Short mmCIF file of all heavy atoms in Angstrom, two decimals:
data_model
loop_
_atom_site.label_atom_id
_atom_site.label_comp_id
_atom_site.label_asym_id
_atom_site.label_seq_id
_atom_site.Cartn_x
_atom_site.Cartn_y
_atom_site.Cartn_z
N GLU A 3 109.05 83.65 177.62
CA GLU A 3 110.14 83.67 178.60
C GLU A 3 109.85 84.64 179.74
O GLU A 3 109.35 85.74 179.52
CB GLU A 3 111.46 84.07 177.92
CG GLU A 3 111.94 83.08 176.88
CD GLU A 3 113.29 83.47 176.30
OE1 GLU A 3 113.86 84.48 176.78
OE2 GLU A 3 113.77 82.77 175.39
N ASP A 4 110.16 84.20 180.93
CA ASP A 4 110.05 85.04 182.13
C ASP A 4 111.48 85.26 182.64
O ASP A 4 112.04 84.42 183.35
CB ASP A 4 109.19 84.36 183.18
CG ASP A 4 109.01 85.23 184.43
OD1 ASP A 4 109.33 86.43 184.36
OD2 ASP A 4 108.55 84.69 185.46
N GLU A 5 112.04 86.40 182.24
CA GLU A 5 113.46 86.64 182.53
C GLU A 5 113.65 87.38 183.85
O GLU A 5 112.72 88.00 184.38
CB GLU A 5 114.09 87.44 181.39
CG GLU A 5 114.06 86.72 180.04
CD GLU A 5 114.68 87.56 178.95
OE1 GLU A 5 114.79 88.79 179.14
OE2 GLU A 5 115.04 86.99 177.90
N SER A 6 114.87 87.30 184.38
CA SER A 6 115.23 88.02 185.60
C SER A 6 116.65 88.54 185.44
O SER A 6 117.33 88.27 184.45
CB SER A 6 115.13 87.09 186.82
OG SER A 6 116.16 86.13 186.79
N VAL A 7 117.10 89.27 186.46
CA VAL A 7 118.47 89.81 186.41
C VAL A 7 119.49 88.71 186.66
O VAL A 7 120.67 88.86 186.34
CB VAL A 7 118.64 90.94 187.45
CG1 VAL A 7 117.77 92.13 187.08
CG2 VAL A 7 118.31 90.44 188.86
N LEU A 8 119.02 87.61 187.24
CA LEU A 8 119.93 86.49 187.50
C LEU A 8 120.04 85.61 186.25
O LEU A 8 119.18 85.65 185.38
CB LEU A 8 119.41 85.66 188.67
CG LEU A 8 119.33 86.36 190.03
CD1 LEU A 8 118.70 85.44 191.07
CD2 LEU A 8 120.72 86.82 190.47
N PRO A 9 121.08 84.82 186.17
CA PRO A 9 121.24 83.90 185.03
C PRO A 9 120.03 82.96 184.93
O PRO A 9 119.41 82.61 185.94
CB PRO A 9 122.52 83.13 185.37
CG PRO A 9 123.27 84.04 186.28
CD PRO A 9 122.24 84.77 187.09
N ASP A 10 119.72 82.55 183.71
CA ASP A 10 118.54 81.70 183.47
C ASP A 10 118.58 80.40 184.25
O ASP A 10 117.54 79.90 184.68
CB ASP A 10 118.41 81.40 181.97
CG ASP A 10 118.06 82.65 181.17
OD1 ASP A 10 117.62 83.63 181.78
OD2 ASP A 10 118.24 82.62 179.94
N PHE A 11 119.78 79.83 184.43
CA PHE A 11 119.84 78.54 185.11
C PHE A 11 119.50 78.67 186.59
O PHE A 11 119.17 77.69 187.27
CB PHE A 11 121.22 77.89 184.94
CG PHE A 11 122.31 78.49 185.77
CD1 PHE A 11 122.60 77.97 187.04
CD2 PHE A 11 123.05 79.57 185.32
CE1 PHE A 11 123.60 78.52 187.81
CE2 PHE A 11 124.05 80.13 186.10
CZ PHE A 11 124.35 79.60 187.34
N LEU A 12 119.57 79.91 187.14
CA LEU A 12 119.21 80.15 188.53
C LEU A 12 117.75 80.57 188.67
O LEU A 12 117.00 80.02 189.50
CB LEU A 12 120.11 81.22 189.13
CG LEU A 12 121.54 80.82 189.47
CD1 LEU A 12 122.30 82.03 190.02
CD2 LEU A 12 121.55 79.68 190.51
N LEU A 13 117.34 81.56 187.89
CA LEU A 13 115.99 82.10 188.02
C LEU A 13 115.47 82.51 186.65
O LEU A 13 116.09 83.27 185.92
CB LEU A 13 115.98 83.31 188.96
CG LEU A 13 114.62 83.90 189.30
CD1 LEU A 13 113.78 82.87 190.08
CD2 LEU A 13 114.77 85.18 190.12
N GLY A 14 114.33 82.02 186.31
CA GLY A 14 113.73 82.32 185.02
C GLY A 14 112.91 81.14 184.53
O GLY A 14 113.04 80.02 185.03
N GLU A 15 112.05 81.41 183.58
CA GLU A 15 111.18 80.35 183.08
C GLU A 15 110.96 80.53 181.59
O GLU A 15 110.72 81.65 181.11
CB GLU A 15 109.84 80.38 183.82
CG GLU A 15 108.86 79.31 183.39
CD GLU A 15 107.55 79.41 184.16
OE1 GLU A 15 106.82 80.40 183.94
OE2 GLU A 15 107.27 78.51 184.98
N THR A 16 111.04 79.44 180.85
CA THR A 16 110.73 79.45 179.42
C THR A 16 109.71 78.35 179.15
O THR A 16 109.94 77.19 179.47
CB THR A 16 111.99 79.19 178.58
OG1 THR A 16 112.96 80.22 178.85
CG2 THR A 16 111.66 79.19 177.09
N ILE A 17 108.56 78.76 178.56
CA ILE A 17 107.48 77.81 178.26
C ILE A 17 107.35 77.69 176.75
O ILE A 17 107.20 78.69 176.04
CB ILE A 17 106.15 78.28 178.86
CG1 ILE A 17 106.27 78.43 180.38
CG2 ILE A 17 105.04 77.31 178.52
CD1 ILE A 17 105.04 79.02 181.03
N SER A 18 107.41 76.47 176.27
CA SER A 18 107.19 76.20 174.85
C SER A 18 105.75 75.73 174.67
O SER A 18 105.30 74.80 175.36
CB SER A 18 108.15 75.13 174.34
OG SER A 18 109.49 75.55 174.49
N PHE A 19 105.02 76.39 173.75
CA PHE A 19 103.59 76.11 173.59
C PHE A 19 103.30 75.84 172.12
O PHE A 19 103.81 76.51 171.23
CB PHE A 19 102.76 77.29 174.07
CG PHE A 19 101.30 76.99 174.22
CD1 PHE A 19 100.82 76.32 175.33
CD2 PHE A 19 100.39 77.40 173.24
CE1 PHE A 19 99.46 76.05 175.47
CE2 PHE A 19 99.04 77.13 173.37
CZ PHE A 19 98.57 76.46 174.50
N GLU A 20 102.47 74.83 171.88
CA GLU A 20 102.04 74.48 170.53
C GLU A 20 100.55 74.73 170.44
O GLU A 20 99.77 74.11 171.17
CB GLU A 20 102.36 73.01 170.25
CG GLU A 20 102.25 72.62 168.78
CD GLU A 20 102.78 71.22 168.55
OE1 GLU A 20 102.09 70.26 168.98
OE2 GLU A 20 103.87 71.07 167.97
N ALA A 21 100.17 75.65 169.56
CA ALA A 21 98.77 76.06 169.48
C ALA A 21 98.14 75.60 168.17
O ALA A 21 98.72 75.73 167.10
CB ALA A 21 98.65 77.58 169.60
N TYR A 22 96.92 75.08 168.28
CA TYR A 22 96.10 74.73 167.13
C TYR A 22 94.80 75.54 167.23
O TYR A 22 94.25 75.72 168.32
CB TYR A 22 95.78 73.23 167.11
CG TYR A 22 96.97 72.35 166.85
CD1 TYR A 22 97.82 71.99 167.89
CD2 TYR A 22 97.24 71.88 165.57
CE1 TYR A 22 98.92 71.18 167.68
CE2 TYR A 22 98.34 71.06 165.34
CZ TYR A 22 99.18 70.71 166.39
OH TYR A 22 100.28 69.91 166.16
N GLY A 23 94.32 75.99 166.09
CA GLY A 23 93.08 76.76 166.12
C GLY A 23 92.64 77.18 164.73
O GLY A 23 93.13 76.66 163.73
N SER A 24 91.71 78.12 164.69
CA SER A 24 91.17 78.58 163.41
C SER A 24 90.90 80.07 163.45
O SER A 24 90.72 80.66 164.51
CB SER A 24 89.88 77.82 163.07
OG SER A 24 88.89 78.05 164.07
N VAL A 25 90.87 80.65 162.25
CA VAL A 25 90.59 82.08 162.08
C VAL A 25 89.64 82.22 160.89
O VAL A 25 89.79 81.53 159.88
CB VAL A 25 91.87 82.89 161.82
CG1 VAL A 25 91.54 84.37 161.61
CG2 VAL A 25 92.85 82.73 162.97
N ASP A 26 88.65 83.11 161.02
CA ASP A 26 87.68 83.33 159.95
C ASP A 26 88.03 84.56 159.12
O ASP A 26 88.57 85.54 159.64
CB ASP A 26 86.27 83.52 160.53
CG ASP A 26 85.72 82.25 161.16
OD1 ASP A 26 86.21 81.16 160.79
OD2 ASP A 26 84.83 82.36 162.01
N GLY A 27 87.68 84.50 157.85
CA GLY A 27 87.69 85.67 156.99
C GLY A 27 86.26 86.18 156.90
O GLY A 27 85.37 85.49 156.39
N VAL A 28 85.99 87.38 157.44
CA VAL A 28 84.62 87.89 157.60
C VAL A 28 84.42 89.17 156.79
O VAL A 28 85.28 90.04 156.76
CB VAL A 28 84.32 88.16 159.08
CG1 VAL A 28 82.94 88.79 159.25
CG2 VAL A 28 84.41 86.86 159.88
N VAL A 29 83.24 89.26 156.14
CA VAL A 29 82.84 90.48 155.43
C VAL A 29 81.65 91.08 156.17
O VAL A 29 80.65 90.40 156.43
CB VAL A 29 82.46 90.19 153.97
CG1 VAL A 29 82.03 91.49 153.27
CG2 VAL A 29 83.63 89.57 153.23
N ASP A 30 81.76 92.36 156.52
CA ASP A 30 80.73 93.05 157.30
C ASP A 30 79.68 93.64 156.37
O ASP A 30 79.94 94.59 155.64
CB ASP A 30 81.38 94.13 158.14
CG ASP A 30 80.38 94.85 159.04
OD1 ASP A 30 79.24 94.35 159.16
OD2 ASP A 30 80.73 95.90 159.62
N PHE A 31 78.46 93.08 156.40
CA PHE A 31 77.35 93.60 155.61
C PHE A 31 76.51 94.61 156.40
O PHE A 31 75.64 95.27 155.84
CB PHE A 31 76.42 92.47 155.17
CG PHE A 31 77.01 91.54 154.15
CD1 PHE A 31 76.47 90.28 153.95
CD2 PHE A 31 78.10 91.92 153.37
CE1 PHE A 31 77.01 89.41 153.01
CE2 PHE A 31 78.64 91.06 152.44
CZ PHE A 31 78.09 89.80 152.25
N SER A 32 76.75 94.71 157.71
CA SER A 32 75.86 95.48 158.58
C SER A 32 75.86 96.97 158.28
O SER A 32 74.87 97.65 158.52
CB SER A 32 76.23 95.25 160.05
OG SER A 32 77.53 95.75 160.32
N ALA A 33 76.95 97.50 157.75
CA ALA A 33 77.04 98.95 157.50
C ALA A 33 76.72 99.32 156.06
O ALA A 33 76.88 100.47 155.66
CB ALA A 33 78.44 99.45 157.86
N LEU A 34 76.25 98.36 155.27
CA LEU A 34 75.93 98.66 153.88
C LEU A 34 74.78 99.66 153.78
O LEU A 34 73.82 99.59 154.53
CB LEU A 34 75.55 97.39 153.13
CG LEU A 34 76.66 96.44 152.70
CD1 LEU A 34 76.08 95.28 151.92
CD2 LEU A 34 77.70 97.16 151.85
N THR A 35 74.88 100.59 152.82
CA THR A 35 73.82 101.55 152.56
C THR A 35 73.42 101.44 151.10
O THR A 35 74.07 100.74 150.31
CB THR A 35 74.28 102.99 152.85
OG1 THR A 35 75.35 103.33 151.95
CG2 THR A 35 74.78 103.13 154.28
N ALA A 36 72.37 102.14 150.74
CA ALA A 36 71.89 102.10 149.35
C ALA A 36 72.95 102.64 148.39
O ALA A 36 72.97 102.26 147.21
CB ALA A 36 70.60 102.91 149.23
N ASP A 37 73.83 103.52 148.87
CA ASP A 37 74.88 104.08 148.00
C ASP A 37 75.86 103.01 147.54
O ASP A 37 76.52 103.19 146.51
CB ASP A 37 75.65 105.18 148.74
CG ASP A 37 74.78 106.39 149.03
OD1 ASP A 37 73.76 106.55 148.33
OD2 ASP A 37 75.10 107.15 149.94
N ALA A 38 75.97 101.93 148.28
CA ALA A 38 76.91 100.87 147.92
C ALA A 38 76.34 99.91 146.90
O ALA A 38 77.03 99.02 146.42
CB ALA A 38 77.32 100.08 149.17
N ILE A 39 75.08 100.12 146.54
CA ILE A 39 74.40 99.22 145.61
C ILE A 39 73.89 100.02 144.42
O ILE A 39 73.08 100.94 144.57
CB ILE A 39 73.22 98.50 146.30
CG1 ILE A 39 73.73 97.74 147.53
CG2 ILE A 39 72.51 97.57 145.34
CD1 ILE A 39 72.63 97.18 148.39
N VAL A 40 74.36 99.69 143.24
CA VAL A 40 73.97 100.39 142.02
C VAL A 40 73.22 99.40 141.13
O VAL A 40 73.78 98.38 140.71
CB VAL A 40 75.18 100.96 141.27
CG1 VAL A 40 74.73 101.64 139.98
CG2 VAL A 40 75.95 101.92 142.16
N VAL A 41 71.96 99.71 140.86
CA VAL A 41 71.11 98.83 140.06
C VAL A 41 70.88 99.46 138.69
O VAL A 41 70.53 100.64 138.58
CB VAL A 41 69.76 98.58 140.76
CG1 VAL A 41 68.84 97.75 139.87
CG2 VAL A 41 69.98 97.89 142.09
N ASP A 42 71.07 98.67 137.64
CA ASP A 42 70.81 99.12 136.27
C ASP A 42 70.05 98.01 135.56
O ASP A 42 70.62 97.09 135.00
CB ASP A 42 72.13 99.42 135.55
CG ASP A 42 71.91 99.93 134.13
OD1 ASP A 42 70.74 100.23 133.79
OD2 ASP A 42 72.89 100.02 133.37
N ASP A 43 68.71 98.12 135.62
CA ASP A 43 67.83 97.10 135.07
C ASP A 43 68.12 95.75 135.73
O ASP A 43 67.91 95.59 136.93
CB ASP A 43 67.98 97.04 133.55
CG ASP A 43 66.87 96.22 132.91
OD1 ASP A 43 65.81 96.05 133.54
OD2 ASP A 43 67.05 95.74 131.77
N LYS A 44 68.65 94.79 134.98
CA LYS A 44 68.93 93.47 135.54
C LYS A 44 70.40 93.28 135.89
O LYS A 44 70.85 92.16 136.08
CB LYS A 44 68.48 92.39 134.56
CG LYS A 44 66.97 92.31 134.39
CD LYS A 44 66.57 91.10 133.57
CE LYS A 44 65.05 90.99 133.48
NZ LYS A 44 64.64 89.77 132.74
N ALA A 45 71.13 94.38 136.00
CA ALA A 45 72.53 94.34 136.42
C ALA A 45 72.67 95.08 137.74
O ALA A 45 71.98 96.07 138.00
CB ALA A 45 73.42 94.98 135.36
N VAL A 46 73.56 94.59 138.61
CA VAL A 46 73.77 95.23 139.90
C VAL A 46 75.25 95.18 140.25
O VAL A 46 75.94 94.19 139.97
CB VAL A 46 72.94 94.55 141.01
CG1 VAL A 46 73.29 93.08 141.15
CG2 VAL A 46 73.12 95.26 142.35
N THR A 47 75.73 96.27 140.85
CA THR A 47 77.11 96.34 141.34
C THR A 47 77.06 96.66 142.83
O THR A 47 76.39 97.61 143.25
CB THR A 47 77.91 97.43 140.60
OG1 THR A 47 77.96 97.12 139.21
CG2 THR A 47 79.33 97.51 141.15
N ILE A 48 77.76 95.85 143.63
CA ILE A 48 77.79 96.05 145.09
C ILE A 48 79.23 96.31 145.52
O ILE A 48 80.14 95.55 145.16
CB ILE A 48 77.25 94.83 145.84
CG1 ILE A 48 75.80 94.56 145.43
CG2 ILE A 48 77.32 95.04 147.34
CD1 ILE A 48 75.17 93.42 146.20
N THR A 49 79.44 97.38 146.27
CA THR A 49 80.76 97.71 146.80
C THR A 49 80.79 97.33 148.29
O THR A 49 79.96 97.79 149.07
CB THR A 49 81.06 99.21 146.64
OG1 THR A 49 81.00 99.54 145.24
CG2 THR A 49 82.46 99.53 147.16
#
């Protein structure tokens, strides 16, 4: 809405918009360090 001090029927604008799109769920591996990886023989834990 684009409101003004005047009544809406005189001055103002209301736009109705319908949006379609997408959003990703992302995991950042770039900052991983050796401390985040614990190796025990053939077992590994990653934080």
Side-chain angles (χ1 to χ4, degrees):
E3 296 184 4
D4 182 13
E5 298 180 341
S6 70
V7 294
L8 297 176
D10 292 343
F11 76 92
L12 285 178
L13 185 64
E15 181 180 68
T16 300
I17 301 174
S18 299
F19 193 80
E20 193 171 72
Y22 292 83
S24 61
V25 179
D26 292 337
V28 175
V29 179
D30 183 12
F31 291 161
S32 64
L34 283 183
T35 64
D37 294 338
I39 303 171
V40 179
V41 176
D42 182 10
D43 193 21
K44 292 188 177 183
V46 59
T47 299
I48 300 184
T49 301

